[in-house]
Amino acid sequence: PESGGLAGRPSVADTGLGNVPDKIAKNQRKTMGTLRDLTGARSVGVIEERPEDGLVCYAKPVGVVAAICPSTNPAATPANNTMMAVKGRNPVILSPSPKGASTCALLVEYIHAELDKLGAPRDLVQFLEEPNKEQATALMRQADLVVATGSQRNVRQAYSSGTPAIGVGAGNAPVIIDASADVADAAEKIKRSKTFDYATSCSSENSVHIHDACYDRALDALRAQGGYLLSTEEKRRLRDVMWPDGKLSSAITAQPPSVIAELAGLRSPAARSAEFFMVTEDGVGPEYPFSGEKLSVVLTVYRFDDLEQCLDRIQRLLDHQGAGHSCGIHTEERANAVRVAERLRVARVLVNQAHCFGTGGGFDNGLGFTLT
């Protein structure tokens, strides 16, 4: 826990992303949760026996794991990857983002101190001290397994390296509020999740899809939680700031809402005091940039009156960005949650949960902790 706090401060100072209290909470929660899951688990040797079928299942180390880590989680992701690799008796070489190199160095310093106590070789856990694109590419080619988390460029390089790879790219998580939902509860959870660490998580809600029957009530509830709904002109100005050259600007990534308001020229007192921003949208795809992942406290709002049509649009949205990731629904109708789970091509569907706290595992939802 103490190291989580120490790593939280340089994480924000060096990357300029997120905020210190949330970084500390994330480092502690993800690390302790992963330790809970790994403790006592069988990971090498005989992991399963099925005498009725005459089968014995063995797990073996894969070799050197290359872990490509993002600037958004410069401590939590490498810590998580390291624990999982070493649990399988694999050495790991971490490749942090250049902005996250100092945080990674501090993390590895803590890990090496623990390895020393056990008499284990420090080289089990290494990192690129001056990371760059060329070193990361060479590492991926020479390793036995690549785990790449972050930008689409990193994931594509991992899959084209010639080495078996696990790629973790865009999230762009959509969340549904259906007609039966407790809108006040949904709004509170969406706000808490959306604003955590200024939306650095790929599991942060990027769009909310609200049924006609509760649309106005849900917007009011989101406003009550600190959301500010932009006008058409304000939306245009925000779009110009967020995608000045067609690519998402790093100037708004994981920044406080006050910074975004200043950059977009949002002058009203309500906008200046907002905790997150909302923009309405009805389209999906490259020509509708708000339909993609935003890595910021900006939430896209869609309206629907038929769940099947809503799910059609959400699948197109995920195919645009976030394929295979996750979706959430706030509902009191179990059948609607089942329809979402059956219909969408996603790994996980969360029901009545704050999305970024549940998708990657939790102490209270039965899912194992992971940052991949």
Side-chain angles (χ1 to χ4, degrees):
E2 181 183 358
S3 62
L6 294 174
R9 286 185 281 276
S11 293
V12 175
D14 295 345
T15 67
L17 305 173
N19 64 77
V20 173
D22 289 348
K23 276 286 192 294
I24 293 172
K26 182 186 297 182
N27 293 344
Q28 293 179 351
R29 181 173 176 274
K30 287 290 188 179
T31 301
M32 301 308 290
T34 301
L35 282 171
R36 179 204 68 175
D37 293 344
L38 297 182
T39 300
R42 291 196 284 181
S43 58
V44 178
V46 177
I47 61 171
E48 183 184 2
E49 296 183 74
R50 289 156 52 186
E52 69 277 11
D53 296 321
L55 296 176
V56 180
C57 300
Y58 290 82
K60 304 169 187 176
V62 70
V64 176
V65 176
I68 314 301
C69 304
S71 59
T72 49
N73 289 312
T77 297
N80 186 273
N81 288 343
T82 295
M83 288 187 289
M84 292 188 174
V86 173
K87 177 69 174 179
R89 294 187 185 173
N90 302 291
V92 60
I93 302 177
L94 303 166
S95 176
S97 71
K99 288 182 178 180
S102 62
T103 303
C104 186
L106 181 59
L107 172 69
V108 173
E109 181 182 323
Y110 291 133
I111 293 172
H112 282 173
E114 297 305 313
L115 292 174
D116 289 345
K117 293 177 184 178
L118 299 172
R122 286 189 166 197
D123 285 349
L124 277 175
V125 182
Q126 304 176 41
F127 73 105
L128 301 183
E129 296 186 19
E130 297 181 3
N132 56 52
K133 180 179 177 181
E134 291 73 24
Q135 285 193 11
T137 299
L139 173 62
M140 287 190 283
R141 288 175 177 166
Q142 296 179 50
D144 298 296
L145 175 69
V146 177
V147 180
T149 310
S151 70
Q152 293 299 298
R153 180 180 62 82
N154 284 350
V155 173
R156 291 190 185 101
Q157 286 184 329
Y159 281 126
S160 62
S161 66
T163 303
I166 299 170
V168 189
N172 200 26
V175 174
I176 300 164
I177 300 178
D178 80 3
S180 70
D182 180 336
V183 295
D185 180 69
E188 187 276 331
K189 288 174 177 173
I190 290 169
K191 176 270 182 86
R192 183 155 45 90
S193 173
K194 182 64 180 172
T195 60
F196 182 77
D197 203 26
Y198 299 144
T200 56
S201 171
C202 62
S203 297
S204 173
E205 290 89 340
N206 264 271
S207 60
V208 58
H209 303 253
I210 308 174
H211 193 279
D212 265 340
C214 62
Y215 185 82
D216 292 336
R217 288 188 293 116
L219 282 184
D220 287 343
L222 288 164
R223 288 191 187 97
Q225 290 293 333
Y228 177 77
L229 182 64
L230 275 65
S231 68
T232 301
E233 173 58 23
E234 289 172 329
K235 176 184 174 183
R236 183 194 63 77
R237 294 206 302 270
L238 181 59
R239 173 176 173 165
D240 291 345
V241 165
M242 292 182 70
W243 294 276
D245 55 2
K247 294 176 60 179
L248 185 62
S249 170
S250 60
I252 63 90
T253 299
Q255 296 303 306
S258 58
V259 170
I260 297 174
E262 180 66 29
L263 290 171
L266 306 178
R267 303 300 181 193
S268 74
R272 292 282 179 168
S273 62
E275 296 192 53
F276 63 100
F277 302 104
M278 299 181 288
V279 296
T280 58
E281 189 59 271
D282 55 14
V284 169
E287 65 273 30
Y288 301 96
F290 284 107
S291 69
E293 186 174 43
K294 294 168 281 296
L295 289 173
S296 61
V297 288
V298 178
L299 181 67
T300 307
V301 179
Y302 291 88
R303 188 170 189 157
F304 75 94
D305 60 9
D306 177 81
L307 183 58
E308 283 303 316
Q309 291 179 359
C310 171
L311 296 180
D312 286 343
R313 181 165 58 191
I314 286 177
Q315 188 59 63
R316 286 188 284 112
L317 180 147
L318 291 169
D319 290 343
H320 165 52
Q321 282 187 9
H325 198 275
S326 62
C327 180
I329 181 170
H330 294 271
T331 182
E332 296 300 319
E333 298 288 344
R334 177 178 172 81
N336 287 346
V338 171
R339 286 171 72 188
V340 175
E342 290 177 341
R343 172 71 176 79
L344 295 181
R345 297 190 294 275
V346 293
R348 289 177 172 175
V349 174
L350 269 63
V351 183
N352 298 328
Q353 296 181 51
H355 209 74
C356 88
F357 300 122
T359 312
F363 289 107
D364 55 2
N365 73 356
L367 295 174
F369 280 87
T370 180
L371 279 117
T372 55

